[in-house]
Amino acid sequence: MHKRKQGSVNGSVSAPSTGVHTLGLDIGYGVTKAVTDGTEIAFPSVAGHARDIRFGRDDLTNRFPGEWVEDEEGQWFIGDLALNQLPTGELLRLRGRTANETTMGNAFRVRLAKVAIGKLFGSGINRGDVVHLRLATGLPVDHMRDAAEMKASLFGQHVIRTDHADFIANVTEVMVMPQPLGTVYANMLTPTGEINVYHTFMRTGVCDVGTYTVDVALDDDGQFVDAESGSVESGVYTAQERIADMLERDYREKIPHKLVDQVLRTGIFTALGKPIDYRKEVEDALQPLRSATLNLLSEKWQRGTTVEVIYLSGGGAELVYEEVYQAYPQTKLVPQAQMANARGYLFYAHFVQRG
């Protein structure tokens, strides 16, 4: 692609005039994000085998719509429903590379994709109806050799069967790109896939701080520069694990992941109804993530002299922003940083469609 130099909502989406929907799908290791024209959703990338709910099933399915899914391997709780109803030992997460990416990692991704599609398109669709989709997604930069297998897993027909949906998704086109390029396209393109004339930078960098990887990518006038792009197996989990271990040590019990992440974001833990200040400990826990991010940036871009702008995105963007900005003052924190890649995938899919 060449350029000229110059909110989360669950709900159904009305069909475009072509009868084919376009979807930007970011299946992150921490959170799955999906964007169509005018609709965005996000849910944790976590799953577990479903349990029999002895009381309040209807309330649960209303609170966590579309997160009870059935496939060839049985029934599953996904996302917030899984976190709410399953013990930690039964939770499965998408994490880095697996021993067999085709049968394990991609099977997990397809399951998460089915939930996202069901959430977005399930309302008002009759049982057995077919919904046609074009899909754009991404992989960590250093995992792009797995793109062909991922594309094959997502392409074709999928039965979407959840507590709120029962239809067939026919994926007619799949685009897979290096994950952080979504953030580049979210700024380089408009929502309709046109060139954004207000984006005047020629050498655009992006640093995507995710749950289990930190990725950087460089775009030079519309061209992906492989040698100056890459990944490191680090991420927000390094801080989460340190905080979880610390809280378990202090209170002699395992603390739910949701509360651990809350401590990471706020520095406060509520114990026995009283707020406890953990801000210093959180700062210490964040040091490995911040160091890994700066080391990757230095490895790929040295001092960043020729990089005109660095977009900082991903769920961990705010946690490293001050340190990255001090080292690279051209850094810009992307608004709604966690959704940036999914939004850019959608814009890019529209760009391709425009020809």
Side-chain angles (χ1 to χ4, degrees):
M1 178 173 62
H2 297 277
K3 61 185 178 64
R4 297 185 298 272
K5 190 170 182 178
Q6 326 256 337
S8 293
V9 178
N10 281 354
S12 61
V13 183
S14 57
S17 58
T18 60
V20 180
H21 298 275
T22 303
L23 173 65
L25 180 63
D26 181 10
I27 307 175
Y29 292 128
V31 179
T32 296
K33 290 79 63 177
V35 179
T36 61
D37 295 316
T39 306
E40 299 183 352
I41 62 166
F43 56 90
S45 299
V46 60
H49 290 283
R51 287 186 165 207
D52 181 39
I53 301 299
R54 289 171 288 188
F55 179 75
R57 172 170 172 161
D58 290 343
D59 177 61
L60 278 175
T61 58
N62 287 330
R63 286 181 61 195
F64 309 111
E67 297 187 0
W68 193 325
V69 63
E70 181 179 342
D71 61 18
E72 299 81 3
E73 296 185 33
Q75 293 190 352
W76 299 83
F77 290 166
I78 306 292
D80 288 308
L81 176 60
L83 292 175
N84 182 273
Q85 288 296 309
L86 299 178
T88 302
E90 294 184 16
L91 296 175
L92 305 175
R93 297 180 184 275
L94 186 63
R95 180 168 178 170
R97 286 184 175 165
T98 58
N100 188 320
E101 196 68 10
T102 301
T103 60
M104 297 174 66
N106 285 334
F108 202 115
R109 290 185 177 94
V110 169
R111 189 169 295 125
L112 296 173
K114 286 181 176 182
V115 170
I117 293 168
K119 280 176 170 283
L120 286 168
F121 304 105
S123 298
I125 300 295
N126 294 322
R127 181 175 182 179
D129 281 356
V130 178
V131 175
H132 302 284
L133 297 171
R134 300 171 65 245
L135 193 153
T137 187
L139 280 170
V141 177
D142 286 355
H143 296 192
M144 278 301 293
R145 61 176 57 91
D146 300 320
E149 288 83 0
M150 184 179 179
K151 183 181 291 190
S153 297
L154 293 170
F155 185 82
Q157 292 200 344
H158 302 274
V159 176
I160 311 297
R161 185 170 294 124
T162 75
D163 51 288
H164 279 62
D166 190 353
F167 64 95
I168 296 171
N170 181 38
V171 180
T172 61
E173 183 179 1
V174 180
M175 293 156 268
V176 181
M177 66 195 77
Q179 211 154 29
L181 282 187
T183 296
V184 174
Y185 297 139
N187 289 276
M188 187 183 295
L189 301 172
T190 70
T192 58
E194 298 177 280
I195 300 295
N196 176 12
V197 297
Y198 298 103
H199 177 91
T200 59
F201 306 106
M202 297 294 289
R203 284 174 61 85
T204 300
V206 58
C207 177
D208 179 15
V209 184
T211 300
Y212 291 113
T213 64
V214 178
D215 291 83
V216 299
L218 185 71
D219 177 276
D220 189 349
D221 194 21
Q223 296 295 319
F224 173 67
V225 183
D226 188 84
E228 296 183 69
S229 305
S231 309
V232 62
E233 298 287 334
S234 180
V236 178
Y237 86 97
T238 58
Q240 291 171 335
E241 287 187 346
R242 285 173 176 248
I243 294 169
D245 290 344
M246 174 188 64
L247 293 174
E248 184 175 356
R249 179 198 66 214
D250 289 354
Y251 300 99
R252 290 183 289 182
E253 64 179 276
K254 287 190 178 294
I255 305 302
H257 178 82
K258 182 178 180 180
L259 298 181
V260 170
D261 192 65
Q262 190 176 72
V263 174
L264 174 63
R265 308 289 174 173
T266 67
I268 303 296
F269 178 65
T270 302
L272 303 176
K274 296 181 179 180
I276 310 297
D277 189 341
Y278 275 95
R279 284 176 291 185
K280 181 183 182 303
E281 291 81 357
V282 167
E283 285 297 305
D284 292 341
L286 282 169
Q287 288 310 309
L289 170 62
R290 290 166 174 168
S291 295
T293 302
L294 290 173
N295 287 343
L296 181 61
L297 288 166
S298 177
E299 175 193 340
K300 294 300 180 182
W301 302 336
Q302 291 76 55
R303 298 177 64 182
T305 304
T306 66
V307 183
E308 296 175 44
V309 64
I310 297 173
Y311 292 120
L312 192 60
S313 66
E318 293 184 2
L319 301 174
V320 304
Y321 171 69
E322 292 297 335
E323 288 72 18
V324 173
Y325 178 77
Q326 289 297 319
Y328 301 91
Q330 69 272 53
T331 298
K332 297 180 183 294
L333 182 63
V334 176
Q336 296 181 296
Q338 192 172 63
M339 299 299 296
N341 283 334
R343 201 173 289 129
Y345 299 156
L346 177 69
F347 296 178
Y348 178 80
H350 285 324
F351 173 82
V352 171
Q353 193 171 33
R354 293 175 68 90

